[in-house]
Amino acid sequence: MDLDNIECVSSSDLDEDEIHHHQQQHHGLHPHPHHHSEFSSSRPRNGNNVNSINIVGPMVIAPATSVLSCHNGHTLCSTCKTRVHNRCPTCRQELGDIRCLALEKVAESLELPCKYYSLGCPEIFPYYSKLKHEAMCNFRPYNCPYAGSECSVVGDIPFLVAHLRDDHKVDMHTGCTFNHRYVKSNPREVENATWMLTVFHCFGQYFFLHFEAFQLGMAPVYMAFLRFMGDENEARNYTYSLEVGANGRKLIWEGTPRSIRDSHRKVRDSHDGLIIQRNMALFFSGGDRKELKLRVTGRIWKEQQNSDAGACIPNLCS
């Protein structure tokens, strides 16, 4: 039984008889012996809608709200109180601020499955602990990591990989090393310029290479960074390096990929990646410096624990 997506009864939704009928059900006057929760997940057919999880339960108690009663003992949640204009729909008395602690204790004692159980989460929690868990559940859907538009699609990893390939037409590569060339005919224009996202599949995981230009204070810069399709604790198992250079000079960045739980803008604004000043980028481009021609190379590896020596050794894929 889940309380999260349960619709409260209101005077605008139901007539008086229906409101009275719902309250009788809550007070146990007309019990239903076969109450159960239904969990369902759906995917968008066109790839542009939200991959959602709908949870339906039989109770009409709003989450994280107090349960109030009038002088006649009729109870109503605080959310419904405002909807019925502070009047009890049963006896028409004005509702006070008397909390029904008994029903609140009942809500606290309920043990409920995580709302993302259909995506694989096996956990069961007391109600208020459940809300805290769901805010950080590792099985909760991910937002689309595409940086070139405000895409509102969410879903699990296989769904988002297909969405990126089919709807955003991203470059998909297999392997843990890369060598990419970025060209821009007018490097003076750097205001929020974003290149096509590149996806790499290695170690059975998906990584995203971002490259974009933006203003860092008054200085125009280019930035490259890597994100990991998974949670932060998994991302810490991997390390990556980025390198750019020419004319006997080079810049090298090494770090841990960021989880796609962090938006690309959050990662960019934290400067967690390889940052190249425009003058340096044009120096690396060579020629008359009127065209940006940057070659960014890199690799991804996984740190493995050496059980004999107690140290980590890099595991490189070919």
Side-chain angles (χ1 to χ4, degrees):
M1 176 187 308
D2 196 303
L3 309 183
D4 282 71
N5 290 349
I6 297 168
E7 183 178 353
C8 293
V9 180
S10 70
S11 58
S12 61
D13 298 329
L14 302 173
D15 59 30
E16 295 180 12
D17 292 337
E18 289 176 311
I19 292 175
H20 184 70
H21 176 66
H22 273 269
Q23 289 196 320
Q24 287 178 324
Q25 289 179 338
H26 284 299
H27 289 292
L29 300 181
H30 297 283
H32 295 272
H34 299 296
H35 277 334
H36 66 280
S37 297
E38 297 178 359
F39 294 72
S40 64
S41 63
S42 61
R43 288 189 176 179
R45 296 180 181 178
N46 57 9
N48 293 325
N49 296 322
V50 173
N51 186 32
S52 61
I53 302 158
N54 300 318
I55 303 173
V56 179
M59 296 186 67
V60 193
I61 299 175
T65 61
S66 58
V67 181
L68 305 172
S69 62
C70 70
H71 293 292
N72 286 335
H74 302 135
T75 56
L76 204 66
C77 74
S78 58
T79 302
C80 288
K81 177 186 175 184
T82 59
R83 293 185 178 183
V84 296
H85 310 294
N86 205 34
R87 289 280 177 183
C88 175
T90 301
C91 65
R92 296 300 182 185
Q93 280 198 0
E94 183 176 351
L95 292 167
D97 293 320
I98 304 171
R99 292 171 59 189
C100 183
L101 299 180
L103 283 182
E104 290 185 22
K105 288 294 184 183
V106 170
E108 291 176 1
S109 67
L110 294 175
E111 290 194 346
L112 305 167
C114 172
K115 68 187 293 184
Y116 303 120
Y117 100 104
S118 61
L119 294 181
C121 183
E123 303 294 342
I124 297 177
F125 295 92
Y127 176 63
Y128 292 108
S129 300
K130 169 182 176 293
L131 297 180
K132 295 178 181 178
H133 160 80
E134 287 171 352
M136 300 299 294
C137 178
N138 289 340
F139 292 90
R140 70 190 189 277
Y142 296 93
N143 294 320
C144 174
Y146 191 74
S149 64
E150 296 298 327
C151 183
S152 61
V153 170
V154 299
D156 58 17
I157 291 176
F159 170 79
L160 286 181
V161 169
H163 165 68
L164 289 167
R165 181 189 63 239
D166 300 337
D167 298 325
H168 292 299
K169 311 299 182 184
V170 302
D171 292 332
M172 310 285 289
H173 299 272
T174 300
C176 301
T177 61
F178 45 90
N179 186 335
H180 284 265
R181 192 165 181 253
Y182 298 96
V183 178
K184 186 173 177 60
S185 59
N186 185 0
R188 300 293 173 183
E189 298 177 359
V190 298
E191 189 64 30
N192 297 322
T194 302
W195 275 257
M196 179 66 74
L197 180 70
T198 306
V199 180
F200 299 94
H201 184 244
C202 67
F203 297 112
Q205 306 288 346
Y206 290 93
F207 300 83
F208 303 95
L209 177 63
H210 295 263
F211 187 81
E212 55 188 276
F214 61 98
Q215 293 286 139
L216 182 56
M218 298 298 293
V221 298
Y222 298 93
M223 182 175 178
F225 57 90
L226 204 70
R227 287 200 293 163
F228 171 76
M229 183 169 266
D231 287 311
E232 182 180 356
N233 59 335
E234 297 177 272
R236 294 195 191 103
N237 295 324
Y238 302 92
T239 306
Y240 75 100
S241 66
L242 296 173
E243 181 177 314
V244 61
N247 302 321
R249 278 85 170 169
K250 68 173 63 175
L251 291 175
I252 300 176
W253 164 268
E254 185 175 303
T256 301
R258 294 283 289 270
S259 166
I260 61 170
R261 296 288 187 199
D262 294 333
S263 68
H264 96 282
R265 184 175 293 276
K266 180 179 180 179
V267 179
R268 189 195 75 178
D269 292 347
S270 68
H271 309 152
D272 191 3
L274 174 65
I275 296 179
I276 312 161
Q277 300 289 338
R278 183 174 64 188
N279 288 340
M280 182 66 72
L282 293 176
F283 174 77
F284 289 152
S285 298
D288 56 8
R289 301 191 181 187
K290 293 183 179 180
E291 185 178 41
L292 178 73
K293 295 179 181 179
L294 279 182
R295 185 173 296 278
V296 178
T297 61
R299 63 188 179 96
I300 305 165
W301 66 94
K302 184 176 183 179
E303 300 289 352
Q304 287 190 333
Q305 189 74 25
N306 186 333
S307 58
D308 295 330
C312 289
I313 56 175
N315 180 14
L316 304 179
C317 70
S318 58

